[in-house]
Amino acid sequence: LHEQLPNMLCWVFTLYDSGRLVENILLVNRCAQRKPRVGISACLCGDRVRYDGLSKGLPGLITELEHYLELHKICPEVAIGMGTPRAPIQLSKNTHKIQAIGVENPQHNVTNALADYAKTLQGGTHLCGYIFKSRSPSCGAGSTPIHKNGAVIDVGNGIFSQQIQQQWPWLPIAEEQQLVNTQQQQFFIMLSRLVDQFFNMITAAQLDNFHRQVAVLRALLPPATQDKLMQIPSDDKWQNPTHYLSQLIQALQRLPFAVIKELKIPQQQLR
């Protein structure tokens, strides 16, 4: 196979059911010669960019991910000129709108600045995934406290994170707390490589091949989702290919951990 498919990476997923071997799944990646580029909150890499001048570095996780991914460090709060250390901000809901405002000075509103900075990344930053700092008012992905009248009323996305997810809905998204074990890490790496592969196959006009290659992954999804994904290529003739990718990645990210942990992905085949 390696002779027939030069410069490709072969992933073999071993699928188990209650300890019984069910199927060996082969997925080919044409992008084996480079690492997919993934955005990551800079504080998770050990950069002292938090509001208190400290970091939330996770050296073990970062070292593991760097074997397979190119990590692109970003701190949106520093990027918009807030400095380090700085007065903290929080998400606040007012008249049905969520904003990022100062904890001590509510007149300090950086909502638009954070969203606008995310938009500047659209031009030249090709990302295949994003790892966000949990609970951050700029970077949280579903875990950030939302305040109203001095009380936490809900949780949601940070302002920067929300804009990133809106403009790139196909990105695999994770918070650091969702990458605590090997299976979660490998699954995120796999999804990032899948995105990288997809965009390279757009260039090569091989999206039908991509659709066929991911059949084994589509088979893990609920039947209704499988049917929807099967219909997209015939409906739009690939006129809007990222719609397909968005639906696929979002569906795979909704898989329960019980399914993810049954995908045995040899580490050497993630490189």
Side-chain angles (χ1 to χ4, degrees), residues 246-265:
S246 299
Q247 295 296 313
L248 174 65
I249 295 297
Q250 291 172 18
L252 289 172
Q253 290 216 275
R254 289 193 296 268
L255 286 174
F257 180 66
V259 174
I260 294 172
K261 72 179 183 180
E262 299 301 334
L263 292 173
K264 311 298 183 182
I265 313 172

Side-chain angles (χ1 to χ4, degrees), residues 63 116 202 211 246 258 263:
T63 298
D116 289 345
I202 282 182
H211 179 67
S246 299
L263 292 173

Side-chain angles (χ1 to χ4, degrees), residues 109-127:
N109 190 323
V110 294
T111 307
N112 292 337
L114 289 170
D116 289 345
Y117 175 66
K119 294 173 186 176
T120 68
L121 301 179
Q122 285 185 287
T125 305
H126 175 60
L127 298 179

